Amino acid sequence: AARRQMADAARPYRPASDMLPDEQRGVDLLAFATLYVQQPDRLDDAASALQSLLAKDPENLIVKHNLAVLYRKQKDYDTALKFLREILAREAKNIAALNELGLLYLDQKNLSMSQWILGKAMQYSKKTPNADVFNNMGLLWMAKGETPGAVQMFQKALGANPGHNGARKNLGALYV
């Protein structure tokens, strides 16, 4: 139902965006693409929108991050890694990119590298704890079969963001 609501909300987007000035259209196109990156059946639309934005602004780290997320979800790990490396070459402590890189290694079952990268993300986000990083560290502990560590990380994710749906779902799965 939520996916259908998101698709319904985005449907009138394209015709409306065509009437906007170019600089505003880029911001709205990024919002549109970011919405579609979250929908597995709309990844091609997201890729098209993001590639269009990247052609106009090849240094845009937000676009590169969204492309990395998209390619990781499509299991095109080499392309995702390329974008993440570009981001981290410019901003070595970019929490979102480190978090995504940790997920990429987790997807590839490279648990030690995932743990090291997510640990760096946690270290860099100490002042402002990042719920996504804690949640993904919990997924790592689950993959390692270490339930107590996973529970602790999911609880930390909820402490940083009580509305984090992923952490709620993952914690609930451990108790079922």
Side-chain angles (χ1 to χ4, degrees), residues 9 11-13 17 37-38 41 53 65 90 93-94 104 119:
R11 186 171 296 115
Y13 166 78
S17 73
V37 165
Q38 305 306 317
D41 58 329
L53 286 170
H65 179 262
R90 287 203 23 223
K93 295 182 179 182
N94 185 305
L104 184 145

Side-chain angles (χ1 to χ4, degrees), residues 88-136:
L88 293 168
R90 287 203 23 223
E91 293 182 5
K93 295 182 179 182
N94 185 305
I95 306 302
L98 288 167
N99 185 51
E100 189 61 29
L101 185 58
L103 275 176
L104 184 145
Y105 286 122
L106 182 60
D107 286 356
Q108 293 180 321
K109 309 288 188 248
N110 187 341
L111 303 184
S112 61
M113 185 61 90
S114 178
Q115 184 174 355
W116 187 78
I117 296 289
L118 290 171
K120 285 290 182 193
M122 286 175 64
Q123 176 186 345
Y124 296 148
S125 64
K126 258 190 174 148
K127 288 182 182 176
T128 307
N130 186 300
D132 290 330
V133 174
F134 286 131
N135 182 62
N136 294 332

Side-chain angles (χ1 to χ4, degrees), residues 49-65:
L50 289 167
Q51 289 294 352
S52 172
L53 286 170
L54 191 62
K56 291 177 185 176
D57 185 4
E59 299 302 314
N60 189 316
L61 298 184
I62 296 170
V63 172
K64 289 181 180 189
H65 179 262

Side-chain angles (χ1 to χ4, degrees), residues 134 137-139 141-142 146-158 167 170-171 174-175:
F134 286 131
M137 187 63 93
L139 293 173
W141 290 122
M142 280 178 65
E146 298 184 24
T147 303
V151 168
Q152 181 183 21
M153 288 296 117
F154 296 139
Q155 288 173 338
K156 283 186 176 189
L158 290 171
N170 294 328
L171 191 57
L174 289 175
Y175 287 117

Side-chain angles (χ1 to χ4, degrees), residues 13-47:
Y13 166 78
R14 281 199 189 243
S17 73
D18 290 340
M19 295 183 276
L20 296 170
D22 283 343
E23 61 276 359
Q24 183 63 40
R25 191 176 307 148
V27 171
D28 288 344
L29 189 57
L30 179 57
F32 164 75
T34 302
L35 174 71
Y36 277 175
V37 165
Q38 305 306 317
Q39 299 180 47
D41 58 329
R42 302 307 298 259
L43 293 179
D44 290 338
D45 292 332

